[in-house]
Amino acid sequence: MSMNVSPAGYEPLLDIAFAHPIRLIASALGPPPADVIDRARAANVKVAALAGTTAHAVKHAEAGADIIVAQGSEAGGHTGEVGTMVLVPEVVDAVSPVPVLAAGGIASGRHMAAAMALGAAGIWTGSVWLTTAEAETEPVVKQKFLAATSSDTVRSRSITGKPARMLRTPWTDEWEREDSPKPLPMPLQPLLVGAALNRINRSATTPGSGAHELATYFVGQVVGSINTVRPADRVVLQIVEEFIDTLTALSGHLDV
Ligand SMILES: Cc1cc2nc3c(=O)[nH]c(=O)nc-3n(C[C@H](O)[C@H](O)[C@H](O)COP(=O)(O)O)c2cc1C
């Protein structure tokens, strides 16, 4: 695994992205660089930026991001410490009129209704796709996700060097131990563990093997509410249907 966190690393990836008819490009782990924003503007592509704190969201807006993704701590992948419920309205107020998408722990229509109630213009999701029929998630990890509860994730620096939420397994437990060495900072940790993680994933298909136990991947707390494999289009429809049902039910509170 390598981290494309410098222009030399990310520019070839941008070349590929901009060779396609894309509408949006998203930046995380820092404000979108000026050259990326210029390139996006020239190609009529919107720029989104992920923020885990209100201060980061303000920096992204000042850098020229068109859309801010306010991502709470519940989220899978790199994530901060502030929960979605607290973060979203704070960010909405701080960057208005820039539109804010709520992220972190959103996988259902009820979650979406809550996010819209907090002032979000829409939702941004990650974990909910990892157990879909189309997902390229390692089969072993997919099964672990389906069985996991919302208490089975942990923010760990063990894969990238920065705190990222992932499924808790003996891999993360070993890195958390008092007497274990601390993970290296990004981008050194991926260089240290990348080959080992690849070997673990290759060998994890053997039930009962050490690799089977160690295998993990980025996922958010909402993994606990996802217990079946669904096609991706079904996930979208269920979110929309439950969103409509929820708004209808909520409007009933206004009856006197
Ligand atoms: C497996 C995985 C990989 C991710 N990789 C990235 C990434 O490369 N860049 C990024 O901006 N966000 C990444 N994210 C975060 C998502 O964009 C999104 O904000 C997050 O998943 C939302 O929270 P949720 O997982 O609770 O739905 C990743 C999330 C997951 C689960």
Side-chain angles (χ1 to χ4, degrees):
M1 182 192 284
S2 66
M3 304 299 299
N4 298 300
V5 290
S6 66
Y10 67 67
E11 268 162 12
L13 298 176
L14 289 176
D15 289 344
I16 296 169
F18 281 100
H20 290 78
I22 56 170
R23 305 289 304 277
L24 177 77
I25 195 145
S27 145
L29 301 181
D35 58 323
V36 175
I37 295 208
D38 291 346
R39 194 168 172 178
R41 293 256 187 285
N44 203 20
V45 167
K46 298 276 183 222
V47 177
L50 276 74
T53 66
T54 302
H56 288 164
V58 169
K59 274 195 188 164
H60 295 345
E62 285 169 358
D66 301 298
I67 297 165
I68 304 294
V69 180
Q71 191 208 249
S73 182
E74 300 93 315
H78 293 116
T79 189
E81 290 177 332
V82 184
T84 304
M85 181 72 107
V86 170
L87 184 68
V88 173
E90 251 186 55
V91 171
V92 167
D93 291 346
V95 303
S96 173
V98 179
V100 174
L101 302 181
I106 297 173
S108 73
R110 279 183 290 167
H111 292 138
M112 180 172 170
M116 304 305 274
L118 296 175
I123 57 169
W124 178 274
T125 52
S127 296
V128 70
W129 308 111
L130 299 174
T131 44
T132 55
E134 294 87 345
E136 292 172 350
T137 312
E138 297 285 341
V140 167
V141 174
K142 212 184 223 186
Q143 285 309 316
K144 288 188 182 186
F145 284 174
L146 292 168
T149 74
S150 49
S151 302
D152 291 335
T153 71
V154 62
R155 276 172 86 242
S156 165
R157 297 204 299 116
S158 61
I159 296 184
T160 70
K162 280 187 186 290
R165 189 173 298 285
M166 60 192 76
L167 192 73
R168 183 179 167 198
T169 74
W171 165 272
T172 55
D173 285 349
E174 285 300 309
W175 280 101
E176 294 299 318
R177 263 177 33 186
E178 261 318 273
D179 55 346
S180 293
K182 294 281 160 273
L184 300 174
M186 181 185 277
L188 298 177
Q189 182 71 3
L191 296 176
L192 180 70
V193 301
L197 285 171
N198 284 341
R199 280 202 304 280
I200 288 169
N201 284 336
R202 270 203 307 275
S203 313
T205 45
T206 311
S209 65
H212 188 280
E213 281 185 40
L214 289 166
T216 182
Y217 195 50
F218 306 115
V219 76
Q221 292 176 339
V222 81
V223 70
S225 69
I226 302 165
N227 307 314
T228 56
V229 174
R230 292 173 292 167
D233 61 353
R234 191 74 220 129
V235 172
V236 173
L237 275 178
Q238 284 185 339
I239 290 176
V240 172
E241 282 170 6
E242 195 184 86
F243 175 68
I244 294 168
D245 289 348
T246 305
L247 290 197
T248 308
L250 283 175
S251 65
H253 289 300
L254 295 175
D255 290 348
V256 281

